[in-house]
Structure formats: C-alpha cells, structure tokens
Amino acid sequence: MGERITTVQYKGNLNEVYRVAEKGVGNAYREYIIRTKEDDPVELARIKFQKGARNEPGSEVGVIDSDLLEIVRDRLKLFQEGEFECTENAMALVHIETAIMWLNRRVEDRIKRDVIGTHKK
C-alpha cells in the first residue's frame, strides 16, 4: 500500500492518505492514495503528480500542487455562497489563495529566468 502520512487534521478525519512508490527528483513522492478508514477500506482517489520537468525528456504528465489547491478553493468559494458559509471556511480560503499566489510567483520567476520546465534552479 505504501506509507501512511501524518496529517495535520488528527481529530475527526474520515480517510487515510498514503504515499506510494518512491521519492522522485526534489525529494517528493509522485503518487498518493486516499482511502476510507473502514475495516474493509475503499480507495477513493489516486493522485499522480507530474514526474520530471515538463520540458525534459522522459517526464510524465501529472497534476501539480496548485491543481489540488484550486479544487479546494473552488469548493470553499461555493460553500461560502451557500448555507455552509462560516468564518473557518473564509479563513481557509484566504490561506489557500495565498498559497496559490506564492506557487504562481515561483512559476513567474522561473519563466522570467527562462528555467521553467527544467531542473535548473
């Protein structure tokens, strides 16, 4: 299955998250599995991240961190427009949008330095 990760949400979480396969370039895992915590667990999602720099030979297409943040951002925005609006969701939304902004700044910097899509720092 892989190694179960320790999550920040340690009370009341419904699911377990596992890293699978091996670490890749940059010391991060490429694949994760989310499954239920039941006695007979069900796999809910398998997430495969980009493997390698986008312009490097042998790279494999996958999701990137900001893709997942954008999904959570969209859900929280919709909750805030409906009956589940709350301060906690609003604060989470602020921080998720901040995280997306910083990830985007990194991309913009890499574009400016002409190293986007490579392993160059």
Side-chain angles (χ1 to χ4, degrees):
M1 165 58 57
E3 179 183 355
R4 182 174 172 198
I5 69 168
T6 303
T7 60
V8 175
Q9 178 189 349
Y10 53 90
K11 291 183 181 178
N13 53 341
L14 296 173
N15 305 311
E16 297 174 333
V17 181
Y18 292 83
R19 17 171 115 110
V20 236
E22 299 172 5
K23 288 183 182 179
V25 175
N27 200 40
Y29 285 83
R30 177 174 186 248
E31 190 171 341
Y32 290 81
I33 293 173
I34 303 168
R35 69 179 199 175
T36 60
K37 290 175 68 173
E38 302 162 346
D39 290 336
D40 189 17
V42 175
E43 184 176 309
L44 301 171
R46 184 176 293 258
I47 300 167
K48 292 184 179 185
F49 286 91
Q50 174 78 21
K51 180 180 180 184
R54 61 178 95 178
N55 295 332
E56 297 285 325
S59 67
E60 295 178 26
V61 179
V63 301
I64 58 176
D65 300 326
S66 56
D67 295 334
L68 299 179
L69 291 171
E70 291 287 4
I71 291 168
V72 175
R73 177 181 172 266
D74 183 68
R75 288 178 49 83
L76 289 174
K77 282 178 60 178
L78 294 170
F79 285 144
Q80 289 301 90
E81 295 170 7
E83 63 185 281
F84 297 117
E85 176 185 12
C86 65
T87 301
E88 293 84 358
N89 285 347
M91 292 306 300
L93 191 53
V94 165
H95 292 285
I96 288 167
E97 288 175 340
T98 301
I100 292 168
M101 183 260 317
W102 282 110
L103 290 172
N104 191 53
R105 282 201 183 167
R106 179 178 180 270
V107 169
E108 290 171 353
D109 175 65
R110 293 182 60 74
I111 289 170
K112 184 192 296 186
R113 294 184 295 114
D114 198 29
V115 295
I116 192 79
T118 71
H119 285 119
K120 295 178 184 173
K121 290 184 177 185

